[in-house]
Amino acid sequence: MAGKKLQEITAHLLAANLVPQEKFESWMEEGRIETASKNLGNGIRISRTEYDAVIVLEEYSGDAALVLALVTTWLMENDSSRFDNGMPEPQIEVTPIDDKSVDVEITIRFFENVDLVPDDNGPISYQGQRYAIATVPIDEPSQVAVGDNKELPTDAPYNRAD
């Protein structure tokens, strides 16, 4: 869902109590919607949204490495596909306020898919059907086989143990 990653990293950084909440801001900039129509089995992908998440800490007087570590570890745990998709590294801008504090602005490029699942009461009408925005469930097979010659090891059925 568009903006979800911004909401999540904002909550993560707010929970770290780096600055008082009134000295913390975050917003979305430079958004772009790329339309798609991809059947995912139990739903459809209708778009991919790219945007810059901008996070500002005003009058920060703590350790700069702490901010960088919090952002980096969150990205590694919650947005690991960014590295596979060639997303740019986060940018940081620091503006001195006085001898003890700085304003820190962090810009992170995110992309998020917008997926729909069938829902009779959903708010979205598309191609004659009602949908809701949600994560599309994935069906996991419990048995697979490559071919139909059971004498070959590659064609023997594989049963997943639960």
Side-chain angles (χ1 to χ4, degrees):
M1 176 176 2
K4 183 178 179 191
K5 291 177 183 177
L6 173 58
Q7 292 172 355
E8 290 175 357
I9 195 166
T10 294
H12 175 70
L13 293 173
L14 279 170
N17 293 314
L18 301 168
V19 294
Q21 190 165 351
E22 62 272 7
K23 300 286 183 178
F24 186 101
E25 291 183 87
S26 65
W27 64 88
M28 183 187 295
E29 283 185 354
E30 301 293 323
R32 183 173 66 97
I33 300 170
E34 184 178 299
T35 59
S37 183
K38 182 176 183 181
N39 186 333
L40 300 174
N42 293 317
I44 55 174
R45 176 153 302 143
I46 59 158
S47 68
R48 171 180 154 141
T49 303
E50 288 192 42
Y51 64 91
D52 288 337
V54 181
I55 301 163
V56 175
L57 308 168
E58 296 176 353
E59 300 176 16
Y60 178 67
S61 58
D63 184 357
L66 175 60
V67 176
L68 300 176
L70 287 167
V71 169
T72 303
T73 54
W74 186 92
L75 289 171
M76 291 167 52
E77 287 186 339
N78 298 281
D79 195 27
S80 59
S81 65
R82 71 182 296 104
F83 306 106
D84 297 332
N85 291 311
M87 299 301 287
E89 296 293 343
Q91 297 177 347
I92 186 166
E93 185 175 319
V94 178
T95 306
I97 301 301
D98 56 35
D99 291 343
K100 297 178 184 170
S101 63
V102 295
D103 284 349
V104 179
E105 182 175 308
I106 302 164
T107 304
I108 306 168
R109 188 81 177 159
F110 284 128
F111 80 86
E112 298 179 35
N113 295 315
V114 179
D115 298 337
L116 304 178
V117 295
D119 181 339
D120 292 338
N121 298 314
I124 300 161
S125 176
Y126 178 64
Q127 295 184 341
Q129 197 171 354
R130 303 299 299 181
Y131 290 91
I133 296 172
T135 301
V136 176
I138 298 171
D139 294 328
E140 282 189 46
S142 59
Q143 182 177 343
V144 296
V146 175
D148 58 4
N149 183 348
K150 292 182 174 45
E151 302 300 318
L152 297 173
T154 57
D155 290 358
Y158 168 79
N159 292 305
R160 188 182 90 187
D162 290 324

